[in-house]
Amino acid sequence: AQSVTQLGSHVSVSEGALVLLRCNYSSSVPPYLFWYVQYPNQGLQLLLKYTTGATLVKGINGFEAEFKKSETSFHLTKPSAHMSDAAEYFCAVSTSQKLVFGQGTRLTINP
Amino acid sequence: NAGVTQTPKFQVLKTGQSMTLQCAQDMNHEYMSWYRQDPGMGLRLIHYSVGAGITDQGEVPNGYNVSRSTTEDFPLRLLSAAPSQTSVYFCASSYSVVGKAYNEQFFGPGTRLTVL
């Protein structure tokens, strides 16, 4: 069965600083990997996804993630944080009919 | 397109009451799913459906029932509400290839349920 671990339930960065949200997955077969973002009192929306092919995936709002099979990781980065990036971020993995989410990381941006 | 809609937005129940959370989508998606979101636990899959007439259990199905009579609708029924079912419930849908959850899921706005 697949699983996802997000390291750090809360991450705080200064505006303009690098954002790094960590995600490690467990899967016995090649996974499909996703990052979703949730703004307060809203549903989730897709930031980016990895299926096959290029391991560096670019998403919306300047975010990107790199699939590293050897490290079973799919960390999310953004070079320069903006106040509007404050939200909760979820990593998810699918190898079949089910999408499994990590626990989530709440990102706070300090002015 | 309205996307994925959920009703009601808020609901308060007493222990033992039953109710149905409604979910509808207008994107002709085969795959639909229900999740519950609890602090520190991410989203957990309750039930899912890969097409009309086909449903299956997710990670936390106990106390919940689903059916899928049409492509558009996927209601979630709480049979006898318990305080442990206090949560935020999200419905989602996606285009699906051979019933796999490989594509972007579109989420509804959620239903906040409190069971007293």
Side-chain angles (χ1 to χ4, degrees):
Chain A
Q2 63 264 37
S3 66
V4 176
T5 301
Q6 291 184 238
L7 300 176
S9 57
H10 290 90
V11 170
S12 181
V13 303
S14 298
E15 191 174 18
L18 171 72
V19 175
L20 171 60
L21 305 183
R22 299 179 187 273
C23 171
N24 287 90
Y25 69 91
S26 172
S27 173
S28 58
V29 297
Y32 287 67
L33 294 161
F34 305 80
W35 275 100
Y36 283 85
V37 61
Q38 183 181 33
Y39 298 102
N41 299 314
Q42 294 187 24
L44 280 69
Q45 62 184 91
L46 183 70
L47 270 180
L48 49 81
K49 72 174 184 180
Y50 168 79
T51 55
T52 58
T55 57
L56 183 63
V57 181
K58 294 187 183 300
I60 62 172
N61 301 337
F63 284 93
E64 62 182 34
E66 186 171 10
F67 171 61
K68 292 188 176 181
K69 183 179 179 180
S70 61
E71 299 177 8
T72 60
S73 69
F74 191 56
H75 301 331
L76 181 71
T77 60
K78 181 174 180 177
S80 178
H82 192 272
M83 295 299 292
S84 61
D85 294 327
E88 189 153 20
Y89 293 79
F90 294 93
C91 183
V93 62
S94 174
T95 59
S96 64
Q97 296 180 321
K98 300 176 184 178
L99 188 63
V100 176
F101 285 87
Q103 306 93 316
T105 297
R106 183 167 300 280
L107 177 64
T108 302
I109 311 298
N110 301 313
Chain B
N1 283 353
V4 179
T5 58
Q6 292 183 238
T7 56
K9 291 190 185 302
F10 301 93
Q11 184 69 49
V12 179
L13 292 178
K14 294 181 180 178
T15 297
Q17 287 184 316
S18 63
M19 79 159 295
T20 299
L21 306 185
Q22 301 292 344
C23 174
Q25 53 92 9
D26 61 359
M27 297 173 282
N28 202 32
H29 286 162
E30 301 92 340
Y31 188 98
M32 296 187 74
S33 53
W34 277 102
Y35 298 89
R36 59 177 291 171
Q37 182 178 23
D38 302 291
M41 302 188 76
L43 278 78
R44 292 180 292 169
L45 182 64
I46 305 171
H47 285 285
Y48 66 97
S49 168
V50 300
I54 306 170
T55 65
D56 206 345
Q57 296 181 351
E59 182 183 356
V60 288
N62 292 341
Y64 306 95
N65 232 350
V66 292
S67 60
R68 182 102 179 265
S69 56
T70 67
T71 299
E72 294 78 19
D73 300 298
F74 190 43
L76 178 72
R77 283 181 286 277
L78 279 70
L79 309 174
S80 177
S84 61
Q85 293 179 304
T86 293
S87 187
V88 181
Y89 292 85
F90 288 100
C91 178
S93 73
S94 70
Y95 172 67
S96 175
V97 176
V98 293
K100 303 297 186 182
Y102 292 161
N103 295 300
E104 174 184 4
Q105 294 204 18
F106 293 84
F107 284 80
T111 294
R112 188 173 296 272
L113 176 68
T114 301
V115 182
L116 303 175

